Amino acid sequence: MLTVWGRENSTNVKKVLWLLDELGEMYQLINAGGAYGKVNEPLYLSLNPNGLVPCLQDEDFILWESNAILRYLAERSGNPAFWGSNTQQRAAADKWLDWVSSSLPTPFRQVFVNLVRTPEDQRDMAAVASGMATFEKLWTVVDAVLAKQTWLSGDKFGLGDIPMGCFAYAWFELDIQRQSQPNLERWYQQLTQRPAYRKRVMIPLS
């Protein structure tokens, strides 16, 4: 059986658990990271020397880095919805994994950490404003793409929608003023209809 090390409120862990549920895979979750600790203990560091979550165990195969885990699980499953039948289909979805990783984490930390995990009197509102401005520009890119296609992965939901979907939940759940992005909002509403998304991503922000 597959084993995932991580905590359910981690954006990167959410990605992996969401895909596993979409695939109908059996797995065990070992709570690690944050309040659970464990990530700096010798056992965990022998699996992931970075001391970060998630980490995947598949028998004697160990894999860290959340997007690498997503690609591995998608190819391992052979499910055409998540591992396209040709190179171009796979690449069209896969580019979003890299785009999200290179574009969203910094503004996300500026907004989310300050508004959710920092006491009000200690918040850096200048950082929040900077993160919001960056987010709005990035969401404009996503909205324009979604004006031409139903999902980020193409005509159907797929691997390319998963990383962005985890950030989108926090964005729409936060009590903030947002610019109207109708195609992004439509796509997000589609995600909220997926049982695995509601189970693994739509949990209280913490």
Side-chain angles (χ1 to χ4, degrees):
M1 179 184 292
L2 294 169
T3 299
V4 178
W5 294 72
R7 64 185 198 280
E8 292 179 305
N9 68 339
S10 160
T11 299
N12 286 331
V13 176
K14 285 180 179 181
K15 295 186 224 175
V16 173
L17 299 181
W18 176 14
L19 178 57
L20 285 167
D21 284 359
E22 291 281 359
L23 294 171
E25 290 276 6
M26 297 292 293
Y27 60 92
Q28 66 170 333
L29 173 65
I30 298 178
N31 290 319
Y36 298 106
K38 299 180 183 176
V39 293
N40 292 316
E41 296 175 2
L43 173 59
Y44 189 78
L45 291 172
S46 72
L47 302 174
N48 183 355
N50 301 290
L52 300 172
V53 293
C55 182
L56 178 76
Q57 290 180 271
D58 184 2
E59 302 295 338
D60 60 352
F61 178 66
I62 309 298
L63 186 63
W64 32 269
E65 290 298 323
S66 60
N67 286 348
I69 294 172
L70 293 183
R71 295 179 181 105
Y72 173 73
L73 292 173
E75 183 172 10
R76 176 183 180 276
S77 74
N79 186 324
F82 297 99
W83 196 251
S85 59
N86 64 63
T87 303
Q88 291 184 351
Q89 285 180 341
R90 292 194 295 272
D94 185 42
K95 72 174 182 288
W96 290 108
L97 277 68
D98 289 339
W99 190 87
V100 168
S101 291
S102 64
S103 302
L104 297 187
T106 295
F108 179 77
R109 283 191 294 270
Q110 291 175 309
V111 176
F112 182 84
V113 172
N114 273 291
L115 297 183
V116 176
R117 296 180 177 169
T118 304
E120 187 172 357
D121 62 348
Q122 298 176 30
R123 292 172 183 169
D124 183 347
M125 297 310 295
V128 172
S130 176
M132 288 286 296
T134 301
F135 251 125
E136 295 288 13
K137 291 179 182 178
L138 295 171
W139 287 135
T140 298
V141 172
V142 180
D143 189 76
V145 171
L146 290 170
K148 301 175 183 178
Q149 58 193 59
T150 306
W151 298 96
L152 293 175
S153 299
D155 294 334
K156 297 180 180 179
F157 172 78
L159 192 66
D161 297 279
I162 287 180
M164 193 86 71
C166 294
F167 284 97
Y169 171 67
W171 178 253
F172 284 106
E173 188 70 6
L174 286 170
D175 183 16
I176 53 177
Q177 293 293 318
R178 290 173 290 270
Q179 295 178 12
S180 176
Q181 304 279 5
N183 302 300
L184 176 71
E185 292 159 16
R186 182 263 306 161
W187 168 80
Y188 173 68
Q189 289 303 315
Q190 292 171 180
L191 290 178
T192 66
Q193 303 307 306
R194 304 191 70 84
Y197 186 75
R198 293 197 298 269
K199 177 182 178 182
R200 290 301 181 186
V201 181
M202 299 180 71
I203 61 177
L205 298 177
S206 61

